[in-house]
Amino acid sequence: MAGSGTAHMRNTVDSVLTVRDLTVEFRVGNNKTVKAVSGLSLDVVKGETLAIVGESGCGKTTLVRAILQLPPPNSGEVIFDGTDLTLLPKENLRSARTSMQMIFQDPISSLNPRMTVHQLLDEPLEIWDRGTRAERDERINKLLFSVGLEPDLVLNRRSYEFSGGQCQRISIARALALDPRMLICDEPVSALDVSIQAQILNLLLFMKETHGLTMLFISHDLAVVKAISTRVMVMYLGKICEVAPPDVLYSNPAHHYTRALLNSVPIPDPTKQIRTELLQGEPPSPMNPPSGCRFRTRCVGASALCAEQEPQLREVSPGQFVACHHPIV
Amino acid sequence: MFNNSKFTKPTWLSISWLGLMLFLAVFGSLLPFKSWKFVYEDDLGVVPFSPGHILGTDNNGYDLLASLIAGTRMSIFIAVTAVSLGGLIGSALGITAAFVRGKVDTVMSTLFNVGLAVPNLVLALALVSVLATNVDINQSVPTWRRVMVLIVSLTIVLIPILGRIARGATLSWSGRDFVTAARSMGMRDRQIIMKHIVPNVLPALIAVAFLAVGVVIIAEASLSILGVGIPDGASWGGMIARGRNDLEYSPHVLYIPVIFLAITVISTNQIGEVLRSKLDSREAKV
Amino acid sequence: MSSLMSIKNMSVNFDTPGGSLEAVRGVDIEIPAGMSVGVVGESGSGKTVMCRAAMGLLQGSTVNRTGTVIFDGHELTAMSKEQVRELFGSGMAMIFQDPLTALNPVRRIGAQLSEGLRIRLGMSKSDAMARSKELLELVRIPNAAAVLKSFPYQLSGGMRQRVMIAIAIACNPKLLFADEPTTALDVTVQAQILQLLRELREDLNMSMVLVTHDLGVVAGNTDYVAVMYAGEVVEYAPTKKLFADMRMPYTEALLDSIPRVDHKSGTRLSVIAGRLPDPTHRPAGCGFAPRCKYAQDKCTTDHPELKTDPDGHVYRCWFPIGEAL
Ligand SMILES: Nc1ncnc2c1ncn2[C@@H]1O[C@H](COP(=O)(O)OP(=O)(O)OP(=O)(O)O)[C@@H](O)[C@H]1O
Ligand code: SF4
Ligand code: SF4
Ligand SMILES: [Mg+2]
């Protein structure tokens, strides 16, 4: 079977989201296709925060958009709350999507500049006819309060009058308006200033606890991921390299790519500088991925086997799954 | 929407001029003038600023002011109607194409590109000839019929111009995350287009529509000069066409409509440009 | 230790419709020869303006710069624009956050790179091309000959930044200003670029001012750090010293608010509440007072003076960390 295996799947009744063998292709030019996500499986259990990390272009955004069916994947299953979204008729999909809300990277572009904050937050409530005018207004005020904004000061202003951090708060309020079960965050703090990042991360953690949310969190920043996740998945060129709880992954990475990624993170402590060999070059084109292990062209541990056979995910320590022929021990 | 900074003097002049033209077009018939078709048998080819004929008369004895007011009504009516229709159809096609993508978009952009590749006037000329095939040139055709043919032709000329603008703007706005957010909260495509795309695309379209009015006025005049527009001086173009015959003895018969037409086109261009630059600076902020 | 650039009491004001905006305020910094100096701070704290003002790159009638900047024996603030420009390339050079906007999109890399060599060093066309290729190899671009013929959009972000570095070092500058050179890049590419800069500095004996918002980047790549807040340098010290013994409450708060890979997962971050003060209405006292957990009454009324510890550690605070009240 193509793909990176399914050993990491827990198949419990608590799974909020289960993705099986998901493939997303883009056509580029004449009869060429890019496999942005390639036979990927994952599951997210209730209350957990699954973080997906990887370099830009590895398919993180494509993956979450395919989960939301925006656009639908080329093949594979996306089972949310027991229903396969890929099989749902358009009308049912509309309502199913509401329990899965998204926070985007660019806080400015995620809010329509022509709408006031009141209109922005009222929109989801209006579409689904949630309550009377007065009830909706009360809900909007509550939502704004909960994300730390003063309703009276912000209701009639538009997105471009706010800072990035404030826009992100508005986005979070809007995402929570329909009481979703799951929050999907695509680089929600990458565009924000260092001191604002912490505010938004803490807000997300707080919202997750108070609303009993399950989260899918995409980021290229390993430090941010460590602070917020309960399970981490490392991706490279549309495939999974490693899945593990954060403390295990960060202290004992088993995949060579994970280790290289961790070694590149600058540590704010002059006494703790690691200067091992760096990852050389940049990821190869996803149009023409290397045979066998996709990481082999940059891997220090590569052998002949790595070019011939694709490694499958397997458990190397409790809860730690790695797709590598020669994992680091 | 555009009130955040003051207009310059040329812009104010343009606005005033267009206001005047619009006034003449709408209320011109209520003004206390004799019909433009009234022939002043005793005043043939009178120069401007003569008593009773502020803009003079032509060699047939038609009063030029009365003619101009009637011509303004016709030219403005044709231009505004064609631009409105072209804008409506063009933006509907362009927005749909850009929003749906895929085959629809490929077909639509190809059509737009073909339309744009043919020079405006040639296309309009061809369209008028085709649409007017069952009209015998030698027979006197009712003016309303010629006007319809002209409007339809000019509308078709405008569709690719405005359609492409709408398509481009839609492409850039529908890529924004707020559109994805609207989808993920369960909004229907039609609602997304109406609430999120159209309001953002509209300002750009309005700016271009002003430029298009200028293009249409010139096209209409050119067609009339070529003899396939509105005959008998019922529009600016018609007046210019007829003025050519009087050029030798009464040059003002030609100059006056040309000046009106030129100022009007310069004004629409000026306003279109101002709107566009306002829009650009605002968009940069957004 | 000799200083390559010394900035004395430099302030920069911009005239804006909303009044005078004080972007940089009374900055005093020595950049020692051969060293790398980090400049950190939140966005809007004045990092970029400080660097550009020091280089004399801010122009126009709305800019008012006061103070003195001495570079390599030249008093830049007393020189004409033309004279300062003579120093670009061989004296000072600069690289930017977004190399795509800094490169001309419609010209080939080779043309852009060789142009400077021909103008500055009077090289012939073929010599300049040959040298361009060498420079691309110097910044570790594989397949340099092909890259010379490419357009900027055909290169990845990391490659474009390498090209920018090649352009910057073409005339062997003594001081390189790097303004967030790796912010737009992936961590792995960032690590490569930072390593390249370290090696080039060594080989070319070049000093560097590295502007960044990332304290991690500072920790591993600089000898000195200047922490900026609301237009001022609020702390300046050797990097090791600064991390071991912070005096400035702001620096401490900044460090505590960033997530770190070397901390346990799920560690709650401490937050710096609020935002930078409005640059058109600077408060009378310490700009950090509303957000500072050590603030006393004096902080809101009196502007803190610059203090220097005997070991040269400079900070601007009435109640520095580690000092008994
Ligand atoms: N519409 C598209 N057409 C063609 N290729 C695409 C398209 N969208 C994405 N890709 C390609 O798919 C791959 C994965 O892209 P994706 O945007 O998912 O990466 P990412 O990990 O989210 O990157 P970043 O961190 O930069 O956002 C990339 O190689 C990208 O070039
Ligand atoms: S499978 Fe081989 S090439 Fe891939 S990561 Fe493991 S050792 Fe490296
Ligand atoms: S001067 Fe006062 S407010 Fe400012 S940093 Fe020091 S203790 Fe805090
Ligand atoms: Mg992405």
Side-chain angles (χ1 to χ4, degrees), chain C residues 98-267:
Chain C
D98 185 356
L100 191 55
T101 57
L103 290 166
N104 185 337
V106 295
R107 298 188 62 208
R108 290 178 202 276
I109 300 296
Q112 304 196 42
L113 191 46
S114 57
E115 181 180 67
L117 296 168
R118 291 172 63 192
I119 296 173
R120 287 251 159 250
L121 308 178
M123 284 188 179
S124 74
K125 198 169 176 179
S126 59
D127 286 353
M129 265 307 170
R131 174 79 182 131
S132 300
K133 187 156 171 276
E134 277 173 32
L135 284 166
L136 291 185
E137 280 156 5
L138 196 63
V139 295
R140 326 262 192 278
I141 288 185
N143 209 353
V147 170
L148 279 179
K149 295 201 188 78
S150 325
F151 290 99
Y153 72 89
Q154 295 171 315
L155 305 177
S156 68
M159 284 300 152
R160 287 197 286 259
Q161 197 55 283
R162 285 173 196 269
V163 170
M164 280 306 297
I165 295 173
I167 293 175
I169 62 169
C171 304
N172 273 320
K174 296 195 173 109
L175 178 59
L176 178 70
F177 283 90
D179 192 351
E180 306 254 11
T182 58
T183 306
L185 306 174
D186 269 311
V187 261
T188 52
V189 182
Q190 160 167 289
Q192 295 170 11
I193 297 286
L194 290 173
Q195 185 187 33
L196 173 68
L197 286 172
R198 282 196 301 269
E199 291 169 3
L200 286 175
R201 282 205 313 109
E202 187 114 328
D203 295 347
L204 306 174
N205 189 23
M206 181 172 67
S207 307
M208 175 167 76
V209 174
L210 178 64
V211 176
T212 173
H213 62 271
D214 188 334
L215 282 166
V217 170
V218 164
N221 295 279
T222 61
D223 305 303
Y224 287 81
V225 196
V227 180
M228 287 195 79
Y229 185 82
E232 291 177 312
V233 170
V234 291
E235 186 161 20
Y236 188 54
T239 308
K240 289 209 174 78
K241 176 101 203 342
L242 183 109
F243 280 90
D245 176 25
M246 284 182 181
R247 309 301 316 264
M248 188 67 202
Y250 173 64
T251 315
E252 184 192 62
L254 197 60
L255 189 65
D256 286 347
S257 74
I258 58 173
R260 301 172 60 150
V261 285
D262 54 340
H263 284 178
K264 239 184 98 53
S265 76
T267 311

Side-chain angles (χ1 to χ4, degrees), chain C residues 30-49:
Chain C
E30 301 281 324
I31 295 164
M35 295 285 161
S36 163
V37 176
V39 179
V40 270
E42 287 168 79
S43 80
S45 60
K47 306 184 291 288
T48 299
V49 173

Side-chain angles (χ1 to χ4, degrees), chain A residues 2-316:
Chain A
S4 312
T6 53
H8 62 301
M9 303 286 281
R10 289 156 295 186
N11 301 315
T12 78
V13 285
D14 282 343
S15 292
V16 176
L17 175 73
T18 307
V19 172
R20 280 208 195 91
D21 216 6
L22 191 88
T23 297
V24 184
E25 293 175 351
F26 293 107
R27 280 182 166 282
V28 283
N30 302 333
N31 300 324
K32 277 199 192 139
T33 54
V34 174
K35 274 198 182 166
V37 176
S38 205
L40 188 142
S41 305
L42 63 86
D43 56 1
V44 192
V45 171
K46 187 170 187 319
E48 133 178 306
T49 300
L50 174 68
I52 304 178
V53 291
E55 286 166 282
S56 83
C58 75
K60 308 180 295 279
T61 302
T62 309
L63 171 63
V64 294
R65 292 200 176 226
I67 290 174
L68 284 160
Q69 312 295 306
L70 297 167
N74 297 63
S75 66
E77 296 171 6
V78 178
I79 298 161
F80 181 69
D81 259 349
T83 356
D84 187 347
L85 300 184
T86 58
L87 303 176
L88 275 188
K90 211 172 170 187
E91 239 348 80
N92 303 16
L93 184 59
R94 259 186 359 105
S95 62
R97 266 191 199 137
T98 59
S99 20
M100 233 194 227
Q101 289 294 300
M102 228 180 139
I103 312 282
F104 302 88
Q105 170 169 3
D106 181 353
I108 313 283
S109 123
S110 39
L111 304 173
N112 187 338
R114 260 169 245 285
M115 290 165 75
T116 62
V117 171
H118 181 265
Q119 289 168 334
L120 286 168
L121 292 189
D122 192 38
E123 185 167 55
L125 302 172
E126 197 188 338
I127 299 174
W128 296 100
D129 215 5
R130 297 276 167 93
T132 62
R133 175 77 272 150
E135 284 164 0
R136 297 206 312 244
D137 284 345
E138 197 192 315
R139 174 126 181 89
I140 291 169
N141 283 354
K142 267 205 189 125
L143 283 166
L144 285 172
F145 257 125
S146 69
V147 296
L149 294 171
E150 183 63 51
D152 293 340
L153 296 180
V154 301
L155 272 175
N156 294 315
R157 291 161 69 196
R158 283 164 228 272
S159 59
Y160 50 83
E161 299 174 55
F162 295 104
S163 67
Q166 286 172 311
C167 284
Q168 219 52 323
R169 287 174 191 273
I170 297 166
S171 294
I172 293 173
R174 180 179 61 179
L176 296 177
L178 293 173
D179 278 321
R181 294 196 59 194
M182 186 158 183
L183 205 56
I184 298 183
C185 309
D186 188 358
E187 308 264 10
V189 296
S190 326
L192 305 177
D193 219 336
V194 262
S195 72
I196 310 297
Q197 273 194 2
Q199 297 176 7
I200 298 297
L201 285 175
N202 282 356
L203 176 64
L204 282 171
L205 281 172
F206 177 73
M207 288 301 175
K208 189 194 153 201
E209 279 158 26
T210 51
H211 288 67
L213 295 168
T214 304
M215 276 214 287
L216 196 58
F217 190 98
I218 294 186
S219 180
H220 67 273
D221 186 331
L222 287 123
V224 166
V225 161
K226 189 161 186 190
I228 199 159
S229 65
T230 54
R231 201 177 199 219
V232 185
M233 182 174 118
V234 181
M235 270 180 84
Y236 186 78
L237 278 187
K239 300 229 176 204
I240 299 176
C241 296
E242 186 165 4
V243 184
D247 285 320
V248 175
L249 187 105
Y250 284 69
S251 52
N252 296 308
H255 198 282
H256 297 271
Y257 178 60
T258 313
R259 184 172 65 178
L261 214 50
L262 283 169
N263 283 349
S264 343
V265 179
I267 296 172
D269 185 344
T271 62
K272 283 196 206 164
Q273 298 301 314
I274 339 165
R275 289 277 157 72
T276 50
E277 41 354 309
L278 288 174
L279 202 52
Q280 291 306 309
E282 290 170 35
S285 156
M287 234 174 338
N288 194 4
S291 64
C293 174
R294 294 193 168 190
F295 184 56
R296 72 176 162 83
T297 50
R298 298 165 83 196
C299 181
V300 287
S303 69
L305 178 65
C306 304
E308 284 158 21
Q309 244 183 46
E310 180 169 2
Q312 299 287 305
L313 276 166
R314 60 194 162 105
E315 190 161 16
V316 289

